[in-house]
Amino acid sequence: METKAIILDKDGTLFPYTLWTVPVRAFLASALPLSCLEKERREKCISRFSEILGLSEKGDVKMDGLFFRRNYLYSFPRLFFASLSFGLSPLKVANGLLKIEKRWEYGMTETLEAYDFSSTRRLLDKAKKSNVKLALFTNDSPSSTEAFLKTFGEDYFSFLVDSSSPHHKPSVKTIEDFSLFSEVKPSEMALISDSSRDLRMGRKGGVGKLIGILGTEKKERLERYTSFVFPDIESALKSLI
């Protein structure tokens, strides 16, 4: 069946998590109560909390990090004991980390501008010329999403789901909303994501093609919901366009 619309998951799929490394460290340097620590110990503390959030100094993504909601219960005790190990107040650390939605303010624009999205843009341009309607799905805040789109390009997507939308991932209502807006049946859509939760949402919503992207979950887990698993967004898009 012809694909008339494509739903793209933003975080981890269109937007690599590795781009967060520098901005997250800058955010932590500001958000954590580090004035009591000497410079070397302060850097170790920032590195430790970066890893708990899910990012190593090398840019590797940790699958057990706090960035992934499935790890919340597991990660909070780690934050608590890490705070104590550096002599920090767990309450002050928690209050600082609550500001993480504003992490975009810590050099993310410069990081995005330095990243090469050109091959992805070319494929999305090709999709648009073929009259394929594109949607961007994320649970991020409107300000964070806007900052991303200003750099990536605001004209690619005719439909957007973020934290301010009437329905959020992983509700199938998001797919129904896009279907009503685009006048495309879910069976004529494709959904591309690195998350098994999103792929499961697509299956429940009757999306015709479900495509997994390697990165944050094992291939075997993604294959529970789709037979199509690709190493990156470009190869996934090429399979559709």
Side-chain angles (χ1 to χ4, degrees):
M1 182 178 292
E2 181 184 1
T3 298
K4 296 182 179 180
I6 300 175
I7 298 169
L8 288 163
D9 170 35
K10 180 172 78 71
D11 301 313
T13 301
L14 192 60
F15 174 86
Y17 277 112
T18 51
L19 294 185
W20 280 117
T21 304
V22 173
V24 162
R25 290 182 67 87
F27 162 75
L28 290 173
S30 172
L32 297 178
L34 305 179
S35 58
C36 61
L37 302 180
E38 296 181 357
K39 183 178 179 180
E40 183 177 349
R41 189 159 172 77
R42 186 183 305 131
E43 289 301 314
K44 288 183 178 179
C45 181
I46 292 172
S47 296
R48 175 65 180 135
F49 278 91
S50 292
E51 289 198 4
I52 292 173
L53 286 175
L55 300 166
S56 74
E57 290 183 77
K58 297 178 181 178
D60 299 325
V61 180
K62 303 290 184 180
M63 297 302 102
D64 61 352
L66 189 58
F67 260 132
F68 309 109
R69 294 190 176 190
R70 62 180 180 269
N71 299 326
Y72 276 10
L73 292 178
Y74 170 70
S75 294
F76 279 120
R78 295 168 67 199
L79 289 171
F80 178 82
F81 289 112
S83 301
L84 294 181
S85 70
F86 284 97
L88 305 178
S89 164
L91 182 59
K92 289 183 178 180
V93 168
N95 285 335
L97 292 178
L98 287 175
K99 302 172 185 176
I100 198 167
E101 279 197 356
K102 297 183 178 181
R103 60 195 182 278
W104 285 90
E105 299 175 4
Y106 296 86
M108 194 68 233
T109 298
E110 293 80 1
T111 300
L112 282 167
E113 289 175 347
Y115 189 79
D116 185 10
F117 285 107
S118 58
S119 59
T120 304
R121 291 192 188 102
R122 282 194 294 270
L123 289 165
L124 294 184
D125 282 330
K126 186 176 180 180
K128 287 189 69 176
K129 288 177 182 177
S130 300
N131 295 317
V132 176
K133 298 180 180 180
L134 302 173
L136 184 68
F137 279 26
T138 179
N139 281 331
D140 220 338
S141 66
S143 58
S144 296
T145 305
E146 181 182 2
F148 169 75
L149 289 176
K150 279 185 176 180
T151 303
F152 182 84
E154 300 180 69
D155 298 329
Y156 291 101
F157 306 99
S158 61
F159 189 82
L160 176 67
V161 170
D162 61 21
S163 64
S164 67
S165 301
H167 303 111
H168 312 134
K169 296 191 305 178
S171 170
V172 297
K173 290 289 186 180
T174 56
I175 296 169
E176 293 172 7
D177 291 344
F178 181 41
S179 181
L180 287 171
F181 174 84
S182 64
E183 298 182 339
V184 176
K185 298 176 182 178
S187 60
E188 298 173 328
M189 295 180 181
L191 185 152
I192 305 176
S193 177
D194 69 321
S195 166
S196 59
R197 186 181 67 165
D198 287 352
L199 295 173
R200 184 167 61 247
M201 172 188 72
R203 176 180 286 182
K204 290 180 179 178
V207 172
K209 295 179 182 177
L210 303 174
I211 298 177
I213 298 291
L214 290 175
T216 60
E217 295 191 31
K218 292 182 179 180
K219 184 178 181 181
E220 294 76 15
R221 183 172 178 82
L222 296 173
E223 286 178 335
R224 295 179 187 176
Y225 305 100
T226 176
S227 299
F228 306 100
V229 179
F230 292 91
D232 51 50
I233 181 64
E234 285 82 11
S235 55
L237 286 171
K238 286 176 183 176
S239 72
L240 294 171
I241 301 169

